[in-house]
Short mmCIF file of all heavy atoms in Angstrom, two decimals:
data_model
loop_
_atom_site.label_atom_id
_atom_site.label_comp_id
_atom_site.label_asym_id
_atom_site.label_seq_id
_atom_site.Cartn_x
_atom_site.Cartn_y
_atom_site.Cartn_z
N VAL A 27 173.79 83.11 157.97
CA VAL A 27 173.20 82.68 156.72
C VAL A 27 171.67 82.54 156.85
O VAL A 27 171.15 81.51 156.82
CB VAL A 27 173.86 81.38 156.18
CG1 VAL A 27 173.43 81.15 154.72
CG2 VAL A 27 175.36 81.44 156.25
N HIS A 28 171.05 83.67 157.13
CA HIS A 28 169.58 83.72 157.36
C HIS A 28 168.84 83.59 156.06
O HIS A 28 169.43 83.50 155.00
CB HIS A 28 169.19 84.89 158.18
CG HIS A 28 169.54 86.22 157.65
ND1 HIS A 28 169.18 86.68 156.37
CD2 HIS A 28 170.26 87.30 158.18
CE1 HIS A 28 169.57 87.88 156.18
NE2 HIS A 28 170.27 88.25 157.22
N ARG A 29 167.51 83.68 156.15
CA ARG A 29 166.71 83.53 154.94
C ARG A 29 167.01 84.49 153.79
O ARG A 29 167.00 84.22 152.66
CB ARG A 29 165.24 83.57 155.31
CG ARG A 29 164.73 82.37 156.08
CD ARG A 29 163.30 82.55 156.61
NE ARG A 29 162.43 83.08 155.58
CZ ARG A 29 161.39 83.88 155.84
NH1 ARG A 29 161.12 84.23 157.08
NH2 ARG A 29 160.61 84.33 154.87
N GLY A 30 167.30 85.76 154.25
CA GLY A 30 167.63 86.76 153.21
C GLY A 30 168.93 86.42 152.54
O GLY A 30 169.02 86.55 151.36
N HIS A 31 169.94 86.00 153.31
CA HIS A 31 171.22 85.58 152.71
C HIS A 31 170.99 84.39 151.76
O HIS A 31 171.57 84.39 150.71
CB HIS A 31 172.18 85.15 153.89
CG HIS A 31 172.59 86.22 154.78
ND1 HIS A 31 172.88 85.99 156.10
CD2 HIS A 31 172.81 87.56 154.58
CE1 HIS A 31 173.25 87.12 156.67
NE2 HIS A 31 173.16 88.07 155.77
N ALA A 32 170.22 83.37 152.26
CA ALA A 32 170.02 82.21 151.41
C ALA A 32 169.36 82.60 150.11
O ALA A 32 169.67 82.03 149.08
CB ALA A 32 169.19 81.19 152.21
N ALA A 33 168.33 83.47 150.16
CA ALA A 33 167.67 83.86 148.92
C ALA A 33 168.65 84.55 147.93
O ALA A 33 168.60 84.29 146.74
CB ALA A 33 166.50 84.80 149.28
N LEU A 34 169.51 85.39 148.51
CA LEU A 34 170.49 86.09 147.66
C LEU A 34 171.46 84.99 147.06
O LEU A 34 171.73 85.10 145.87
CB LEU A 34 171.27 87.03 148.51
CG LEU A 34 172.46 87.79 147.90
CD1 LEU A 34 171.99 88.67 146.74
CD2 LEU A 34 173.24 88.60 148.95
N LEU A 35 171.99 84.12 147.84
CA LEU A 35 172.90 83.12 147.36
C LEU A 35 172.28 82.20 146.33
O LEU A 35 172.89 81.85 145.31
CB LEU A 35 173.45 82.30 148.54
CG LEU A 35 174.29 83.13 149.53
CD1 LEU A 35 174.71 82.26 150.68
CD2 LEU A 35 175.53 83.70 148.85
N HIS A 36 170.98 81.84 146.51
CA HIS A 36 170.29 81.02 145.56
C HIS A 36 170.19 81.76 144.22
O HIS A 36 170.27 81.20 143.16
CB HIS A 36 168.93 80.61 146.08
CG HIS A 36 168.95 79.46 147.03
ND1 HIS A 36 169.39 78.15 146.69
CD2 HIS A 36 168.58 79.37 148.34
CE1 HIS A 36 169.35 77.38 147.76
NE2 HIS A 36 168.84 78.07 148.73
N GLN A 37 169.93 83.07 144.32
CA GLN A 37 169.84 83.89 143.10
C GLN A 37 171.15 83.92 142.36
O GLN A 37 171.20 83.88 141.13
CB GLN A 37 169.37 85.30 143.43
CG GLN A 37 169.05 86.18 142.28
CD GLN A 37 167.68 85.91 141.68
OE1 GLN A 37 167.12 84.87 141.90
NE2 GLN A 37 167.16 86.89 140.96
N VAL A 38 172.23 84.00 143.07
CA VAL A 38 173.56 83.97 142.46
C VAL A 38 173.80 82.69 141.70
O VAL A 38 174.27 82.64 140.56
CB VAL A 38 174.67 84.17 143.56
CG1 VAL A 38 176.04 83.92 143.00
CG2 VAL A 38 174.57 85.59 144.09
N VAL A 39 173.43 81.55 142.41
CA VAL A 39 173.59 80.25 141.77
C VAL A 39 172.72 80.17 140.50
O VAL A 39 173.19 79.63 139.46
CB VAL A 39 173.24 79.14 142.79
CG1 VAL A 39 173.19 77.80 142.10
CG2 VAL A 39 174.24 79.15 143.94
N GLU A 40 171.48 80.62 140.63
CA GLU A 40 170.59 80.55 139.46
C GLU A 40 171.11 81.36 138.24
O GLU A 40 171.07 80.94 137.10
CB GLU A 40 169.19 81.01 139.87
CG GLU A 40 168.15 80.86 138.75
CD GLU A 40 166.78 81.30 139.17
OE1 GLU A 40 166.57 81.30 140.39
OE2 GLU A 40 165.93 81.62 138.36
N ARG A 41 171.54 82.60 138.58
CA ARG A 41 172.07 83.40 137.47
C ARG A 41 173.26 82.83 136.84
O ARG A 41 173.51 82.89 135.64
CB ARG A 41 172.35 84.84 137.96
CG ARG A 41 171.12 85.63 138.36
CD ARG A 41 170.32 86.01 137.13
NE ARG A 41 169.14 86.77 137.46
CZ ARG A 41 167.94 86.19 137.68
NH1 ARG A 41 167.75 84.91 137.50
NH2 ARG A 41 166.91 86.96 138.01
N ALA A 42 174.13 82.22 137.63
CA ALA A 42 175.33 81.62 137.10
C ALA A 42 175.03 80.42 136.24
O ALA A 42 175.61 80.24 135.19
CB ALA A 42 176.27 81.16 138.31
N ARG A 43 174.06 79.60 136.65
CA ARG A 43 173.70 78.43 135.81
C ARG A 43 173.07 78.88 134.48
O ARG A 43 173.29 78.30 133.47
CB ARG A 43 172.74 77.57 136.59
CG ARG A 43 173.41 76.81 137.73
CD ARG A 43 172.39 76.04 138.62
NE ARG A 43 173.11 75.26 139.61
CZ ARG A 43 172.56 74.69 140.72
NH1 ARG A 43 171.25 74.81 140.81
NH2 ARG A 43 173.26 74.02 141.57
N GLU A 44 172.28 80.01 134.60
CA GLU A 44 171.71 80.48 133.31
C GLU A 44 172.80 80.91 132.28
O GLU A 44 172.65 80.75 131.10
CB GLU A 44 170.76 81.67 133.58
CG GLU A 44 169.51 81.31 134.35
CD GLU A 44 168.76 82.58 134.81
OE1 GLU A 44 169.24 83.71 134.65
OE2 GLU A 44 167.65 82.45 135.35
N ARG A 45 173.89 81.42 132.82
CA ARG A 45 174.96 81.90 131.96
C ARG A 45 176.01 80.89 131.71
O ARG A 45 176.92 81.11 130.86
CB ARG A 45 175.59 83.14 132.64
CG ARG A 45 174.72 84.34 132.63
CD ARG A 45 175.37 85.52 133.44
NE ARG A 45 174.69 86.76 133.20
CZ ARG A 45 175.04 87.65 132.27
NH1 ARG A 45 176.12 87.38 131.48
NH2 ARG A 45 174.36 88.76 132.07
N GLY A 46 175.97 79.78 132.43
CA GLY A 46 176.96 78.74 132.22
C GLY A 46 178.32 79.09 132.79
O GLY A 46 179.37 78.68 132.28
N VAL A 47 178.29 79.87 133.90
CA VAL A 47 179.52 80.23 134.54
C VAL A 47 179.48 79.87 136.03
O VAL A 47 178.48 79.25 136.44
CB VAL A 47 179.76 81.80 134.41
CG1 VAL A 47 179.92 82.20 132.94
CG2 VAL A 47 178.63 82.59 135.09
N ARG A 48 180.50 80.16 136.71
CA ARG A 48 180.59 79.80 138.17
C ARG A 48 179.84 80.77 139.05
O ARG A 48 179.59 81.91 138.63
CB ARG A 48 182.07 79.79 138.60
CG ARG A 48 182.98 78.98 137.76
CD ARG A 48 183.10 77.56 138.34
NE ARG A 48 184.21 76.89 137.67
CZ ARG A 48 185.10 76.11 138.31
NH1 ARG A 48 184.98 75.91 139.58
NH2 ARG A 48 186.11 75.58 137.64
N SER A 49 179.48 80.38 140.20
CA SER A 49 178.85 81.24 141.26
C SER A 49 179.84 81.37 142.45
O SER A 49 180.39 80.40 142.86
CB SER A 49 177.48 80.62 141.72
OG SER A 49 177.70 79.29 142.18
N CYS A 50 179.99 82.61 142.89
CA CYS A 50 180.98 82.86 143.97
C CYS A 50 180.50 83.91 144.91
O CYS A 50 179.94 84.96 144.50
CB CYS A 50 182.31 83.26 143.35
SG CYS A 50 183.61 83.53 144.59
N ALA A 51 180.69 83.74 146.17
CA ALA A 51 180.38 84.72 147.25
C ALA A 51 181.69 85.22 147.87
O ALA A 51 182.61 84.39 148.18
CB ALA A 51 179.47 84.14 148.33
#
Side-chain angles (χ1 to χ4, degrees):
V27 193
H28 58 57
R29 287 170 49 209
H31 295 147
L34 175 65
L35 296 174
H36 281 298
Q37 187 81 338
V38 171
V39 171
E40 182 177 339
R41 291 291 179 266
R43 288 174 178 169
E44 290 171 356
R45 289 173 167 268
V47 298
R48 307 266 193 140
S49 55
C50 181

